[in-house]
Amino acid sequence: GAGVSQSPRYKVAKRGQDVALRCDPISGHVSLFWYQQALGQGPEFLTYFQNEAQLDKSGLPSDRFFAERPEGSVSTLKIQRTQQEDSAVYLCASSPVMGGNNQPQHFGDGTRLSIL
Amino acid sequence: SQKIEQNSEALNIQEGKTATLTCNYTNYSPAYLQWYRQDPGRGPVFLLLIRENEKEKRKERLKVTFDTTLKQSLFHITASQPADSATYLCALESGRRALTFGSGTRLQVQP
């Protein structure tokens, strides 16, 4: 497909388990962003990649959150020892240019994570 | 601290009327402002971008204004249709690479 693809669409895990969320950005897009969206709220920034380099991880809520984009295309967001407050929709977005805040971002439909 | 405010109450209007949504911000001096549409269970979809030196931007039935003195953007949908029903998100560049979003306003257009 031509859009940003995220998998799985839904993930249920028990508290304390590790989870991995995948993002396939639009081919050739340089910038990749991860956001967290709580119910009834707007997306909140987690981290930003320019190609394979993670240039900003200031939004990651704790050291249990880790993201990588080793080959500058697919990205994985990993959450270790999940907690109930990690329950949210995790959105991935990509942009064809560096930076990205002055260009449209293309979002996937997210992964809805529920921690029991 | 930086803050973006959108009316958290849903906006209900009749089909054919103009919908006006408001985005107010404080402690920002954004160079750009973007509006996105989000449907339930879907990711945000980009609609319009307006720069600080642009007072107004139009795209088909959509119009966005950007008043840097009032620190406000207005988003208008003219001749609204039930298919316009969705949550609309305002987003600002915040001096770093990512966007900072408001909490969104839900629009419901009644047929």
Side-chain angles (χ1 to χ4, degrees):
Chain A
V4 176
S5 177
Q6 292 188 247
S7 61
R9 286 282 282 126
Y10 303 92
K11 176 69 178 177
V12 179
K14 292 183 179 178
R15 186 164 57 93
Q17 288 183 331
D18 298 348
V19 298
L21 312 180
R22 177 188 170 104
C23 172
D24 280 271
I26 294 172
S27 179
H29 276 200
V30 170
S31 294
L32 186 145
F33 305 84
W34 283 98
Y35 292 86
Q36 181 189 60
Q37 187 173 25
L39 190 63
Q41 300 297 315
E44 290 197 3
F45 169 74
L46 294 176
T47 188
Y48 162 70
F49 289 86
Q50 180 178 305
N51 295 309
E52 70 279 2
Q54 188 176 20
L55 298 187
D56 190 340
K57 55 182 181 178
S58 62
L60 296 176
S62 78
D63 59 6
R64 296 185 296 103
F65 286 71
F66 172 77
E68 60 183 4
R69 193 186 185 198
E71 297 179 358
S73 55
V74 171
S75 178
T76 303
L77 176 67
K78 298 178 180 177
I79 309 174
Q80 297 176 325
R81 305 181 304 281
T82 52
Q83 304 292 319
Q84 284 191 322
E85 61 262 29
D86 299 336
S87 296
V89 175
Y90 290 85
L91 293 164
C92 176
S94 70
S95 171
V97 297
M98 293 184 290
N101 58 29
N102 60 345
Q103 295 291 331
Q105 293 186 14
H106 303 264
F107 282 82
D109 286 334
T111 294
R112 181 176 297 277
L113 177 64
S114 298
I115 305 300
L116 305 179
Chain B
S1 61
Q2 299 170 331
K3 194 174 180 182
I4 302 172
E5 288 185 350
Q6 293 187 256
N7 193 341
S8 59
E9 293 182 11
L11 177 62
N12 291 286
I13 64 168
Q14 287 293 316
E15 182 176 8
K17 301 293 187 183
T18 296
T20 298
L21 287 69
T22 303
C23 174
N24 294 298
Y25 59 92
T26 56
N27 300 323
Y28 271 105
S29 294
Y32 307 90
L33 186 149
Q34 301 187 29
W35 283 89
Y36 287 75
R37 167 184 173 141
Q38 187 171 28
D39 290 284
R42 306 299 299 272
V45 175
F46 170 79
L47 295 174
L48 282 168
L49 180 150
I50 186 166
R51 294 175 172 76
E52 62 178 341
N53 60 351
E54 298 175 316
K55 294 284 190 236
E56 183 179 295
K57 199 88 170 271
R58 290 176 185 262
K59 179 183 176 183
E60 298 173 353
R61 294 185 295 111
L62 308 181
K63 184 179 83 171
V64 171
T65 62
F66 190 10
D67 188 324
T68 55
T69 301
L70 292 179
K71 294 187 181 295
Q72 181 181 79
S73 175
L74 298 179
F75 177 81
H76 307 271
I77 306 175
T78 58
S80 60
Q81 304 166 2
D84 295 326
S85 298
T87 295
Y88 291 86
L89 298 161
C90 165
L92 305 181
E93 66 84 19
S94 55
R96 61 181 184 185
R97 295 173 179 85
L99 294 169
T100 299
F101 285 85
S103 57
T105 298
R106 189 163 59 88
L107 172 67
Q108 187 70 40
V109 180
Q110 306 291 344

